[in-house]
Amino acid sequence: MRSKTAIALIAAGLVAILLGIGFRTIWAPPETLSASYSAGDSTAPVTVIEPAVFGVHDERVDISVEADGEFLLAVGRAGDVDAWVGKAAHTSITTVDGGQLQAETVKGDAEVPNPAGSDLWVSEETADGQTDHRWIAPADGEWSILLAADGKQPAPTAVTVSWPNDNSAPWGIVLVIVGALLAVLGLALAALARRGGPGSDASEPTGRRAAAEASGSTASGTAGGQPARSGLRLRAAESARPVLAVAAAGLLAANALPPAHAGETAAPQEAGDSYPVLLDGQLNRILDSVEAAVSAGDSARDAKELAPRVGGSALTLRTANYTVRAENGEVAAPAPVSAEPLKTAMVGTTAAWPRTAVAVTQGKENPVPQVIVLSQAGPRDNYKMVEAVQMLPGTTFPQVASEGGGTPAIAADSAEGLLHAPQQALEVLAANLNTGKNQDKVGKNTFAEQIRAFQDSQVKANKNADITFSRKVDSESVRALKTADGGAMVFGYIRNVMSSVPAEPGATVELSDEFAALAGKDSTTSGVDVTYGESVAVYVPPAGAKDPISVIGVAQDLVDAKLK
């Protein structure tokens, strides 16, 4: 009987070992899984690979794209990609399901601008025919990939996503271990059977009785028979040990199985999370482009060179400066703009447009640090420098708030948590510059001192004219970002109009060369309005603070002169 059991155990063990080896080799799962999608008849100008696709594996995801001709692959925040796509027709590859990429086609505009070079993209690459992209999330948050040709031609839709598969086949290891133990158990039983000889199972009682008789025992059930029964129980326990070992090994192997993760999806983004609208690489790239545009414009004294990267008051001041210097070369050029070194930055976290970012730099040709205010009007627009102000001597740029890596924006009319609402703070400053009013609300600064000295000199120097000054804050220019202490840095543009009218009827008001360059005449008997542009950066303390508004930086230039 033992011989038959041994043979069965050995055979079962060998079968288990062979199956285990097979699961690890011949029948092993593939090392990589993949899912594909293709819509050869699509005419949509944009294809978007949504964030859920990249959650198919938590370690590595490879994206392969094929197309006819050149195309762009751009990576951006999911919300930014959706905003850029807008109402355009597009193919949206949404998820992996059943081993296939799932997609939907959205109808809309048949053409879009070429997305290449957009400031929204953290990275972009161009390819011809085919490209392989190893997915790495640039930072926290949800990210998408945008595919496009040139905005007019159909975007690529032949996409394959692949990721590592768990091909360790742990049950193969279990089968090999169990099979080996079964084979060992079978061999052990075979050895016991061989030791007992033919018919050993039937002769065993005789052997026990002979041993009992040799020791003087009787068969009457006295205490002398107890050792024999104990011997039987001992052998039964010893025979069970291999079986217990097999069961224990199986349990250990089962517990050692790695958790399957292929096909899992990353946890969705928690609502309410906010992130900086620009990463460091994007900000540096934008600043480089701004510096290049300003350098080209300043060298040629041509405002057309500024247009791609300069707007707002920065464009107004530089354009007027070019006009005046064309007539009078002795007029000072505006301060150059440098992209580096970057001393500090404030990057907004507001997803809505317009968006704001601020950089403080000081190049070799800048005697003092310069505050550069960047603004993006919409998702398909690039950032432009709308202000560039020089920090006043003795001032310090406040510590930047960095909630979630970015700086929260503050509405122009919101005084919540502030000593003054941003718009109101600039109006307080404007009144102070006009007449010296609000001395207790605006801290002493060299700009105000110089302005009032200039205004006094103009009044005294023009005996034939009555001169008045009036300032108005451009409400659309006001931007504010939170500082670490709960205050705010406020940026804006103030128009300062110096109105000159003859003191007596028929009197002549002489115009300086700079005024004449803009007015077209060197004198007038009716009067003239001369406009100066004043870009300012001020610090507004938090509510309850005893300190006044601080003027951190300014840029002023003559921008217009019109005869009355």
Side-chain angles (χ1 to χ4, degrees):
M1 187 69 181
R2 286 182 180 174
S3 298
K4 293 180 180 179
T5 303
I7 292 171
L9 288 173
I10 293 171
L14 291 175
V15 170
I17 291 172
L18 290 174
L19 286 173
I21 294 173
F23 285 133
R24 297 281 292 174
T25 55
I26 301 173
W27 303 307
E31 293 183 359
T32 302
L33 296 177
S34 63
S36 298
Y37 175 81
S38 180
D41 58 348
S42 172
T43 59
V46 180
T47 296
V48 178
I49 305 177
E50 303 288 352
V53 174
F54 310 125
V56 73
H57 194 270
D58 56 4
E59 293 180 4
R60 193 185 82 204
V61 177
D62 293 321
I63 313 294
S64 179
V65 182
E66 296 182 1
D68 295 330
E70 291 188 356
F71 64 92
L72 171 79
L73 184 153
V75 178
R77 289 201 180 276
D80 289 353
V81 172
D82 291 343
W84 193 95
V85 172
K87 297 181 179 179
H90 62 281
T91 301
S92 180
I93 300 177
T94 56
T95 188
V96 178
D97 186 18
Q100 296 294 322
L101 284 175
Q102 304 300 312
E104 59 179 343
T105 300
V106 180
K107 295 182 179 180
D109 299 338
E111 294 185 3
V112 295
N114 191 331
S118 170
D119 287 341
L120 291 183
W121 314 144
V122 174
S123 64
E124 63 178 71
E125 57 185 89
T126 56
D128 191 352
Q130 192 273 340
T131 189
D132 294 317
H133 179 85
R134 171 66 54 83
W135 173 253
I136 299 176
D140 291 340
E142 292 189 338
W143 300 86
S144 298
I145 286 180
L146 179 142
L147 303 173
D150 59 358
K152 298 179 180 179
Q153 301 299 319
T157 58
V159 177
T160 298
V161 177
S162 57
W163 61 94
N165 183 35
D166 180 11
N167 66 343
S168 58
W171 284 107
I173 299 175
V174 173
L175 286 171
V176 170
I177 294 173
V178 172
L181 292 175
L182 288 174
V184 169
L185 178 59
L187 291 172
L189 289 176
L192 289 173
R194 184 180 295 275
R195 189 177 301 131
S200 58
D201 290 343
S203 63
E204 188 173 355
T206 303
R208 286 200 298 273
R209 284 196 297 271
E213 291 172 358
S215 62
S217 299
T218 67
S220 61
T222 64
Q226 190 67 31
R229 289 193 296 272
S230 299
L232 284 171
R233 287 196 296 270
L234 179 61
R235 284 194 296 273
E238 289 174 345
S239 299
R241 285 174 185 168
V243 178
L244 292 174
V246 171
L251 288 173
L252 288 172
N255 289 333
L257 297 179
H261 56 264
E264 291 181 355
T265 300
Q269 186 64 41
E270 292 186 7
D273 287 348
S274 61
Y275 301 99
V277 295
L278 294 173
L279 299 187
D280 291 346
Q282 290 171 283
L283 178 60
N284 292 334
R285 189 171 68 237
I286 292 167
L287 289 172
D288 287 340
S289 296
V290 169
E291 178 184 359
V294 172
S295 178
D298 288 354
S299 297
R301 299 185 187 181
D302 185 356
K304 292 181 181 179
E305 299 287 345
L306 302 174
R309 285 294 184 177
V310 183
S313 62
L315 179 62
T316 300
L317 294 179
R318 267 186 154 74
T319 301
N321 181 270
Y322 296 163
T323 302
V324 172
R325 288 168 62 209
E327 300 295 330
N328 184 356
E330 295 182 0
V331 173
V337 172
S338 180
E340 56 183 17
L342 180 62
K343 292 183 173 294
T344 190
M346 306 177 78
V347 177
T349 57
T350 303
W353 281 271
R355 294 178 172 180
T356 301
V358 177
V360 181
T361 67
Q362 186 176 7
K364 295 179 179 179
E365 298 180 13
N366 296 108
V368 295
Q370 186 176 52
V371 182
I372 300 171
V373 182
L374 304 167
S375 180
Q376 185 183 36
R380 292 184 181 177
D381 298 300
N382 277 342
Y383 279 86
K384 292 187 177 184
M385 181 183 76
V386 294
E387 287 193 53
V389 303
Q390 321 311 309
M391 288 185 63
L392 298 179
T395 59
T396 302
F397 200 86
Q399 186 175 353
V400 174
S402 56
E403 299 176 14
T407 306
I410 301 172
D413 59 352
S414 175
E416 184 177 357
L418 297 176
L419 193 61
H420 304 283
Q423 173 89 21
Q424 181 189 18
L426 296 185
E427 290 172 351
V428 167
L429 174 61
N432 176 258
L433 295 175
N434 278 335
T435 62
K437 185 181 178 182
N438 300 326
Q439 291 284 5
D440 58 331
K441 296 180 180 180
V442 180
K444 292 186 61 176
N445 62 89
T446 56
F447 175 62
E449 293 171 356
Q450 292 170 357
I451 284 293
R452 283 194 283 270
F454 168 77
Q455 292 175 171
D456 290 343
S457 67
Q458 290 294 310
V459 172
K460 292 177 181 179
N462 291 274
K463 301 298 183 180
N464 295 331
D466 291 330
I467 299 177
T468 57
F469 298 90
S470 62
R471 284 176 169 81
K472 184 177 181 180
V473 176
D474 181 356
S475 58
E476 294 184 0
S477 72
V478 181
R479 296 169 175 84
L481 295 173
K482 190 175 180 181
T483 55
D485 62 357
M489 277 299 300
V490 178
F491 310 92
Y493 180 64
I494 301 173
R495 290 186 178 88
N496 170 23
V497 178
M498 182 178 71
S499 180
S500 300
V501 295
E504 297 179 359
T508 300
V509 177
E510 301 292 337
L511 304 183
S512 65
D513 293 341
E514 293 86 350
F515 297 168
L518 295 172
K521 291 185 178 182
D522 55 10
S523 64
T524 176
T525 57
S526 58
V528 63
D529 286 339
V530 176
T531 302
Y532 286 89
E534 297 167 348
S535 289
V536 296
V538 304
Y539 166 70
V540 178
K546 296 181 180 179
D547 295 330
I549 297 169
S550 299
V551 180
I552 302 297
V554 299
Q556 184 202 45
D557 215 329
L558 173 65
V559 297
D560 196 12
K562 291 183 177 179
L563 299 178
K564 289 183 178 291

